[in-house]
Amino acid sequence: MPAGTLYRGREGMWSWVAHRVTGVLIFFFLFVHVLDTALVRVSPQDYDKVVATYKNPVVNLLEYGLVAAILFHALNGLRVIAVDFWSKGPKYQRQMLWSVVGIWIVLMAGAFYPVLQHSLRILFGS
């Protein structure tokens, strides 16, 4: 496959950027998650305090963002695999990208209430 085939065009460039950015964001989340989970061994009381600070609408919105990043990264990763290993992948990369975006939007719409229900109840009542 010639160089540049995978990310030809404006959409391809942005999918490449979004894939890298979501990967870095997921990495940083995992780093923080390992650190705060390790705190339970050092001081269970401090761990409970840290976890209690996570129970607010701002952090809940960040959790929704994490779901968005993981879903996009996973779906786009499957698209990249298809482009790399399917003989017709490069020909259909643009259609696959828009399919990924469409599936991502549907899944994010479906995740809206399950992920944000705690914050919605705090902000708007039960």
Side-chain angles (χ1 to χ4, degrees), residues 16-73:
W16 183 88
V17 169
H19 197 73
R20 289 342 181 247
V21 168
T22 56
V24 169
L25 291 173
I26 294 165
F27 171 79
F28 282 122
F29 163 76
L30 290 173
F31 181 72
V32 170
H33 178 64
V34 167
L35 287 179
D36 71 7
T37 303
L39 187 58
V40 77
R41 290 183 146 287
V42 177
S43 173
Q45 296 83 13
D46 288 339
Y47 172 79
D48 290 339
K49 289 177 189 174
V50 169
V51 170
T53 64
Y54 294 161
K55 297 180 181 184
N56 68 65
V58 174
V59 173
N60 195 214
L61 191 59
L62 291 173
E63 289 173 335
Y64 188 68
L66 176 64
V67 170
I70 290 170
L71 277 175
F72 179 80
H73 193 80

